[in-house]
């Protein structure tokens, strides 16, 4: 069975400092992993995805994530936070090659302090 | 034009009323999904459909029903709305395999 745990419900960083949003997953199959961002009163936008190619995945807006199978983690990072990064972030896992269902974490709310 | 559209975008209704939320997509995907989002709970799957003749219950299907009228259309109905169905509802689509889900803009529903 698949599940996703986002280890922090809220993260607060100062503008210009690094961002780390943590995600652990469990999966019986070779998973696909995704990070989505949701800005206030907006829909979900794909930041990046891992689908069994390179373990370090680069996404939009300077974000990247590293798939670590031994740690069952897929943490999202960004070297320098911008005010526009303030949003809700969701880690998502789907199973193997069929991608039958997508399992969402409960979300991490990122606050960026000026 | 947006690839995944949802109507209405906002809706206020009263307890006991029947309401339908509609989703249309132009991505040509076979798979469509309905989720609800509640603060602190992330997105939870209500129903999903892998093609026109395939409908499956998700994690929280009680109180909801769906209809897949065509490949491009997937509707969610609340037969008798109740206040705890107040939430933000998202439709999504995906292709087969290791692919991304694409989300609509959401429908904000308030049940009084």
């Amino acid at each position: 069975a698949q599940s996703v745990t986002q280890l922090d419900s809220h993260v607060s960083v100062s503008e210009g400092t690094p961002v780390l949003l943590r995600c652990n997953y469990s999966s019986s199959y070779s998973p696909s992993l995704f990070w989505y961002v949701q800005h206030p009163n907006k829909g979900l936008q794909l930041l990046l995805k891992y689908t069994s190619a390179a373990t370090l995945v680069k996404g939009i807006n300077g974000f990247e994530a590293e798939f670590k199978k031994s740690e069952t983690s897929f943490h999202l990072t960004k070297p320098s936070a911008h005010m526009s990064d303030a949003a809700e972030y969701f880690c998502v896992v789907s199973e193997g090659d069929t991608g039958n269902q997508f399992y969402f974490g409960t979300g991490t709310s990122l606050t960026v302090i000026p | 034009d947006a690839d995944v559209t949802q109507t209405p975008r906002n809706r206020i209704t009263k307890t006991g009323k029947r309401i339908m939320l509609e989703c249309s997509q132009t991505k040509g995907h076979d798979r469509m999904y309905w989720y609800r989002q509640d603060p602190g709970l992330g997105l939870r799957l209500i129903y999903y459909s892998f093609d026109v003749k395939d409908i499956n219950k998700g994690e929280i299907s009680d109180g909801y029903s769906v209809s897949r009228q065509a490949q491009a259309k997937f509707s969610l109905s609340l037969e008798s709305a109740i206040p705890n169905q107040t939430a933000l509802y998202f439709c999504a689509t995906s292709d087969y395999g290791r692919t991304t889900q694409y989300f609509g803009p959401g429908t904000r529903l308030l049940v009084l």
Side-chain angles (χ1 to χ4, degrees):
Chain A
Q2 284 72 30
S3 69
V4 177
T5 302
Q6 291 184 243
L7 298 166
D8 306 291
S9 58
H10 295 92
V11 170
S12 184
V13 301
S14 296
E15 189 175 18
T17 64
V19 176
L20 170 63
L21 305 183
R22 298 182 294 166
C23 173
N24 286 106
Y25 69 92
S26 66
S27 175
S28 303
Y29 306 94
S30 176
S32 293
L33 292 155
F34 307 81
W35 277 99
Y36 284 85
V37 61
Q38 183 182 29
H39 287 94
N41 300 311
K42 299 288 186 182
L44 279 78
Q45 180 184 19
L46 179 69
L47 275 179
L48 50 81
K49 66 179 180 181
Y50 165 78
T51 57
S52 79
T55 57
L56 182 62
V57 182
K58 295 187 182 297
I60 62 172
N61 300 333
F63 284 94
E64 62 182 38
E66 186 172 6
F67 173 68
K68 292 187 176 181
K69 186 175 181 178
S70 61
E71 299 177 9
T72 61
S73 69
F74 190 58
H75 301 334
L76 182 69
T77 61
K78 183 174 181 177
S80 177
H82 191 273
M83 295 298 296
S84 61
D85 295 328
E88 189 88 12
Y89 292 80
F90 293 97
C91 183
V92 182
V93 64
S94 74
E95 61 187 34
D97 291 325
T98 62
N100 281 340
Q101 289 193 44
F102 295 79
Y103 299 87
F104 282 75
T106 54
T108 297
S109 177
L110 177 64
T111 299
V112 182
I113 303 167
Chain B
D1 289 338
D3 294 320
V4 185
T5 57
Q6 293 183 233
T7 55
R9 294 293 311 280
N10 295 278
R11 180 72 182 267
I12 300 173
T13 191
K14 295 181 178 180
T15 297
K17 294 292 188 181
R18 183 179 188 275
I19 183 170
M20 179 181 287
L21 309 182
E22 297 185 340
C23 176
S24 295
Q25 53 113 347
T26 59
K27 298 195 72 66
H29 290 163
D30 286 329
R31 299 182 171 191
M32 298 187 73
Y33 309 77
W34 275 106
Y35 294 90
R36 66 175 280 176
Q37 182 181 22
D38 300 278
L41 297 178
L43 273 72
R44 293 181 293 167
L45 183 63
I46 306 172
Y47 271 95
Y48 61 103
S49 170
F50 285 168
D51 64 42
V52 175
K53 297 181 180 180
D54 176 79
I55 302 289
N56 304 280
K57 292 183 177 180
E59 178 186 354
I60 53 163
S61 59
D62 287 349
Y64 301 95
S65 62
V66 291
S67 173
R68 185 80 184 267
Q69 301 95 321
Q71 186 205 37
K73 296 184 181 297
F74 193 37
S75 300
L76 176 71
S77 293
L78 287 67
E79 296 300 326
S80 179
I82 56 177
N84 77 359
Q85 291 177 314
T86 292
L88 183 56
Y89 290 83
F90 286 103
C91 174
T93 75
S94 74
D95 208 344
Y96 176 84
R98 292 182 174 272
T99 62
T100 305
Q101 277 189 318
Y102 296 87
F103 286 85
T107 294
R108 193 170 295 278
L109 176 66
L110 174 61
V111 182
L112 300 175

